[in-house]
Amino acid sequence: MPSYTAPTRDARFIINEMLDLAGYADLPGFEAASVDVTDAVINEGGKFCAEVLAPLNQSGDQEGCTRHEDGSVTTPKGFKEAFDQFREAGWGTLSQPEEFGGQGMPHVLGFAFEEFVSSANQAFGMYPGLTNGAVSALLAKGSQEQKEKYLPKMISNEWTGTMNLTEPHCGTDLGMIRTKAEPQADGSYSITGTKIFISAGEHDMAENIIHLVLAKTPGAPDSSKGISLFVVPKFLVGDDGSIGERNGVVCGSIEHKMGIHGNATCVLNYDGAKGWLVGEENKGLAAMFIMMNAARLGVGVQGLSQAEVAYQNAVAYALDRRQGRALTGPAEPEAQADPIFVHPDVRRMLMDAKAFTEGMRALCLWGALQVDLTHKAKTEEEREQADMLIGLLTPVIKGYGTDKGYEVATNMQQVFGGHGYIEEWGMSQFVRDARIAQIYEGTNGVQAMDLCGRKLAQKGGAAIQAFFKVVGDDIADAKGDNTLAPMAEALEKALGQQQAATMWFMQNAMQNPNHLGAGAHHYMHIMGIVTLGWMWLRMAKVAQAALAAGGEDKAFYEGKVATARYYMDRYLPDAGALRRKLEAGSESLMALDEDAFATAA
Amino acid sequence: MPSYTAPTRDARFIINEMLDLAGYADLPGFEAASVDVTDAVINEGGKFCAEVLAPLNQSGDQEGCTRHEDGSVTTPKGFKEAFDQFREAGWGTLSQPEEFGGQGMPHVLGFAFEEFVSSANQAFGMYPGLTNGAVSALLAKGSQEQKEKYLPKMISNEWTGTMNLTEPHCGTDLGMIRTKAEPQADGSYSITGTKIFISAGEHDMAENIIHLVLAKTPGAPDSSKGISLFVVPKFLVGDDGSIGERNGVVCGSIEHKMGIHGNATCVLNYDGAKGWLVGEENKGLAAMFIMMNAARLGVGVQGLSQAEVAYQNAVAYALDRRQGRALTGPAEPEAQADPIFVHPDVRRMLMDAKAFTEGMRALCLWGALQVDLTHKAKTEEEREQADMLIGLLTPVIKGYGTDKGYEVATNMQQVFGGHGYIEEWGMSQFVRDARIAQIYEGTNGVQAMDLCGRKLAQKGGAAIQAFFKVVGDDIADAKGDNTLAPMAEALEKALGQQQAATMWFMQNAMQNPNHLGAGAHHYMHIMGIVTLGWMWLRMAKVAQAALAAGGEDKAFYEGKVATARYYMDRYLPDAGALRRKLEAGSESLMALDEDAFATAA
């Protein structure tokens, strides 16, 4: 069975040393997040995930969820009890507002914990994960009454939440949804329609499920400007918070999927279910994007999480499995063969994984800090800067993070050779679970268009200019240090590739928007490469300073500097190739009509 | 359910027009392969695969194989009957020697058919596929008596064959095998040991299974120089060819795998099984490599095959599924949304797939021709040239072909969005089945080292120089044509990257072999990119000539030229980035010791 240890040392390095979370103690919510508290939360959270959730991961995959004739769903053995422990320990309350029973801690801590949960058991993590998405929409758009009615029990995880967007004929293009919401005399709406791919849509782990549902009111515009958001509880909730009668929403079936078997992916049939409008009519898309943006960051973390757990197991296997000899001569002559860890091609895969996971962890936690600063930074300018940066980088974290996460998980499976293909070893599950993250909450193609079609152009390019400035400043700063200078120069070149690609879009996409669409994927990957390079430069700087100061943990900091160097050697070169592909434009890409794609016999 | 149509038009284009198979009619075996015969074989073979094998692919995945208490194995419903049809139609005899009941046709035709089989049903295709590998070893190394006893029934597919290499503690490093072969008074050997991952190791589709088994005789050297090859039939075979008593080899269990569920991957327990030495004692490795090289080409074809069938289904979905609008304005204003085929990012994935599958098909069939020419070309010089080129390119076809095949299958699944993740649609199976091809018959890391550590250096680099010359000649030739010149120039640059990488290895790998190991994967991919580019240049030239000549099928030839252009735009740029990674050497890659890879809590 695969194993998992939460990478708490690395999380603490990023939070305490790179982000210096304690340095924000004068902001609301941050005052409680002292280094001691942070360390305790990270360490205890990591322990909980490794000890309670990870042991259920493989059995959950093998058993899956079962739907019964009455529409009820049983989750895999142990999930309910683990969720009880999760709830009792209050893990779901970490970064939620104190007003509704949360602990009000920075999102940075919530994100760090989310990674551990998802590495330990991604399918399990989606039950509280989706709840968080629903909570964020209600917090932003719900009425005070709705907040008071639903949020405390959702935040405490007595109840869970879902997001109901997709229908059989539409996912990305939500303007096409057909689910109807008919206004009733009592101010509620009668919701009727079919939603598919509803993660955590039905289960036996909580006493109620609060569905947030996109639907159309009568006469609403036939586009994304005509969709509204509704809260539809599985069981109606009395004014005193008591559980009332069963609402008209039933799980019609659950999907048989490639992975995340432990999560119930439901077809939900709404048949005159009672729902209440959240926010304004026809403004559902904006509310949906609040859930979606939170969810997208969470999905980016999933890309990291599967790469991380796969990496840990690949390292263990590479040190244990013996085949062949080191190219430079036997490393352990007394043994019949050397561990495969000595082979450069195995090391290449492990180093690729290490460079990705640690860089991606830094990016996710940096991103979580921006989420906090968007609301809590002292000045309007700081809040706006944080908002721009996280808006710009959300599709990169989701899109690049999950593309690479899947690639790394696949390579870690490769380290196992034939054993990687056998389900018993667990590596296949990491790959199969990682695969979904490239697809849901907006496919990575949608992320690329969000980045290039919306975010780049917003406010006259203010966000991308702000990004170029913060990265450029850190590069300029690092050039003064002998160790960091070569890395900074390499990163500067990659940043130059991104700037050139940005310029190419500006000069060409107006005249032909297909040029933008044809290069969006490449641009997202260039930006992912540059952004992780930036994180590595920041980590190397902190590590370099720690080494200069002497003190403990020398090997840890040396590892950071060496891995930063590896990242610059082996990741940055792709930026130039991607730019060349992007600059090829859409001509040869769109040249053929559909007949040319038919298989001719 | 997914669908499959054999791409017979493209196969015929490559065989008749690009390779001009009929032009070799003066060579033995080729005389029968007229254009008419070739077309008939391709068309009928494609039809058989699409009609008989493809309908069993998804059900075979869902049902898998079942092992019973007595060690017998039942294949999925319909497999046995389909194999009966396969046998009766004589599909397994296509490229086998007439002396043992084969049709003696060129391997080019056998390979073309193998692609169709594998696209239609990879798990099924492995039963005859492994048989071919075993046949090739017996043909090369078996005694006349062994050939006469086993080959006719294996070639007719009355019996199937297997390759028994891997043991629980060793796969790549075959010097470590423990299976013992004790000589007996009657000239046979008593074989005892455990073999794992034996594809098609036990099943109900044929009356006998001929295992080729690596084992050690008493006192054999404790290295790969001490292994011998044995033929071990499941049922002993009388001198008259009759089936005798059950031999001491039993299937102990079958593996639960990520994919290829329809193929029985067996643990085979040999307990004093009767076997006979094939070839010389202690020379088993050479015999094994004969099987292996044939098998590696077949695995490269699997990479192509899964990409192809996934591509076909993605095209159909992209034309059917409607979401959003073309960036340049509604393509079908009367419909509620445009087909997702209009979106450049979808088209990018489809074009990537088209460029890979057609280029890879050309490479595989060109490679099959080299296999034929190695034995049948008129002059020693031609035979040696073919032998060098196919030896050099076998690891590229296997390694690059399956890495890209998996990537393309994954991207085709991505075209389906959420539906791609649901097993019902079949896209997950293509990805799961494609995944094994990167692993078995030598992981792709082993392929990269075979290419860089063995093949590059052989005969003072004669093979790679021969490769540079044939590609360089075609580039020089194409520069004279206005349409082809820009493609030829782009390819020349990529070839220059490969030449520079080769030079870098020559200058650096002697002093530190880890530099070779650290760059081998990158080199293999550079060479894959260049080789497919070369194939595209050749295809574009033929297509260009056909267009100049006027005549039918204009759209087909225009598609070839446009896709060649796309390939040059979107595949070649990676060669430069890979060269830069390779030239980074092994310093940062090998910098960290094993402690640095431990997860610190």
Side-chain angles (χ1 to χ4, degrees), chain B residues 176-188:
Chain B
M176 291 162 74
I177 63 168
R178 292 177 191 152
T179 297
K180 283 180 196 160
E182 297 275 351
Q184 305 297 299
D186 65 357
S188 71

Side-chain angles (χ1 to χ4, degrees), chain A residues 324 413 421 432 435 570 585, chain B residues 173 413 421 432 435 570 585:
Chain A
Q413 182 188 29
Y421 201 65
R432 290 185 288 99
R435 184 68 186 90
R570 299 276 175 155
Chain B
D173 191 351
Q413 181 188 30
Y421 201 64
R432 291 185 289 97
R435 184 68 185 90
R570 298 277 173 153

Side-chain angles (χ1 to χ4, degrees), chain A residues 72-215:
Chain A
S72 67
V73 169
T74 307
T75 52
K77 197 165 170 236
F79 271 43
K80 188 174 172 12
E81 293 73 18
F83 197 56
D84 290 342
Q85 286 184 257
F86 189 97
R87 182 188 301 118
E88 279 153 28
W91 287 116
T93 66
L94 218 47
S95 304
Q96 300 292 5
E98 292 174 278
E99 187 187 354
F100 301 107
Q103 299 183 56
M105 304 274 275
H107 279 88
V108 177
L109 297 186
F111 259 54
F113 178 68
E114 211 170 307
E115 180 206 323
F116 304 158
V117 172
S118 187
S119 280
N121 197 324
Q122 181 174 328
F124 177 94
M126 291 169 65
Y127 295 97
L130 270 294
T131 307
N132 287 345
V135 164
S136 63
L138 284 171
L139 273 173
K141 301 288 178 183
S143 66
Q144 190 59 27
E145 189 199 335
Q146 287 169 345
K147 289 180 187 174
E148 285 168 9
K149 191 174 230 171
Y150 299 111
L151 287 177
K153 298 224 169 175
M154 292 171 80
I155 286 172
S156 69
N157 289 147
E158 286 166 273
W159 302 346
T160 65
T162 70
M163 293 163 52
N164 289 237
L165 284 57
T166 307
E167 300 184 4
H169 65 295
C170 75
T172 301
D173 190 351
L174 291 169
M176 289 162 75
I177 63 169
R178 294 177 190 153
T179 298
K180 285 179 195 163
E182 298 275 350
Q184 305 296 301
D186 64 357
S188 72
Y189 288 76
S190 172
I191 313 285
T192 299
T194 300
K195 295 288 180 178
I196 66 168
F197 300 161
I198 308 308
S199 299
E202 179 59 65
H203 58 81
D204 54 359
M205 289 163 56
E207 63 179 9
N208 205 358
I209 302 174
I210 311 304
H211 304 293
L212 288 179
V213 184
L214 290 183

Side-chain angles (χ1 to χ4, degrees), chain B residues 125-384:
Chain B
M126 292 169 66
Y127 295 95
L130 270 295
T131 307
N132 287 346
V135 164
S136 64
L138 284 172
L139 272 174
K141 300 288 179 183
S143 66
Q144 190 59 27
E145 188 199 336
Q146 287 169 345
K147 289 181 186 175
E148 286 169 10
K149 191 174 229 171
Y150 299 112
L151 286 177
K153 297 224 171 173
M154 293 172 79
I155 287 172
S156 70
N157 288 149
E158 283 166 275
W159 302 346
T160 65
T162 71
M163 294 163 53
N164 288 237
L165 284 56
T166 307
E167 299 183 4
H169 65 294
C170 74
T172 301
D173 191 351
L174 291 170
M176 291 162 74
I177 63 168
R178 292 177 191 152
T179 297
K180 283 180 196 160
E182 297 275 351
Q184 305 297 299
D186 65 357
S188 71
Y189 288 76
S190 171
I191 313 284
T192 300
T194 301
K195 294 287 179 178
I196 64 169
F197 300 161
I198 309 307
S199 299
E202 180 59 67
H203 59 82
D204 55 359
M205 289 163 55
E207 63 179 7
N208 205 358
I209 303 175
I210 310 305
H211 304 294
L212 288 180
V213 185
L214 289 183
K216 288 196 168 179
T217 52
D222 191 21
S223 74
S224 64
K225 288 175 184 144
I227 56 183
S228 305
L229 184 68
F230 297 88
V231 57
V232 186
K234 175 179 167 186
F235 289 99
L236 299 181
V237 179
D239 288 336
D240 58 351
S242 63
I243 296 273
E245 65 178 301
R246 185 73 164 80
N247 205 350
V249 47
V250 174
C251 170
S253 62
I254 55 178
E255 307 283 1
H256 296 101
K257 309 182 300 290
M258 185 179 187
I260 49 166
H261 295 159
N263 199 276
T265 304
C266 300
V267 174
L268 289 187
N269 297 318
Y270 290 85
D271 186 10
K274 232 175 164 57
W276 289 267
L277 185 66
V278 178
E280 290 176 56
E281 200 172 325
N282 294 340
K283 302 279 186 194
L285 202 69
M288 188 278 292
F289 265 114
I290 287 166
M291 290 195 283
M292 195 55 113
N293 280 328
R296 284 178 178 175
L297 291 172
V299 173
V301 172
Q302 290 176 351
L304 161 60
S305 74
Q306 295 312 297
E308 170 67 31
V309 66
Y311 163 70
Q312 290 185 15
N313 284 280
V315 168
Y317 188 81
L319 291 170
D320 182 62
R321 176 79 171 177
R322 292 172 182 273
Q323 297 288 281
R325 289 297 187 186
L327 293 171
T328 47
E332 299 184 19
E334 72 293 350
Q336 205 186 355
D338 290 335
I340 61 171
F341 180 78
V342 303
H343 301 310
D345 193 62
V346 170
R347 200 75 67 90
R348 172 185 66 79
M349 294 189 279
L350 296 179
M351 283 299 294
D352 271 359
K354 185 174 170 63
F356 170 70
T357 53
E358 295 180 17
M360 184 69 188
R361 180 172 301 116
L363 177 59
C364 289
L365 295 175
W366 171 89
L369 179 60
Q370 306 314 305
V371 172
D372 287 319
L373 294 179
T374 296
H375 303 294
K376 296 181 174 172
K378 281 207 179 122
T379 68
E380 175 63 27
E381 196 190 337
E382 287 170 287
R383 289 192 295 272
E384 201 174 306

Side-chain angles (χ1 to χ4, degrees), chain A residues 495-559:
Chain A
L495 182 66
Q497 304 285 3
Q498 189 188 347
Q499 287 165 328
T502 313
M503 187 64 78
W504 192 90
F505 272 163
M506 284 174 62
Q507 289 168 342
N508 294 279
M510 287 285 272
Q511 121 217 3
N512 180 357
N514 280 341
H515 285 329
L516 193 84
H521 168 85
H522 303 312
Y523 190 91
M524 181 173 78
H525 274 248
I526 296 173
M527 189 157 177
I529 289 165
V530 168
T531 308
L532 257 64
W534 174 40
M535 289 296 137
W536 270 114
L537 188 66
R538 291 185 60 169
M539 288 197 281
K541 186 183 170 186
V542 173
Q544 185 67 8
L547 287 168
E552 284 179 1
D553 245 3
K554 192 159 165 266
F556 178 84
Y557 296 112
E558 284 173 347

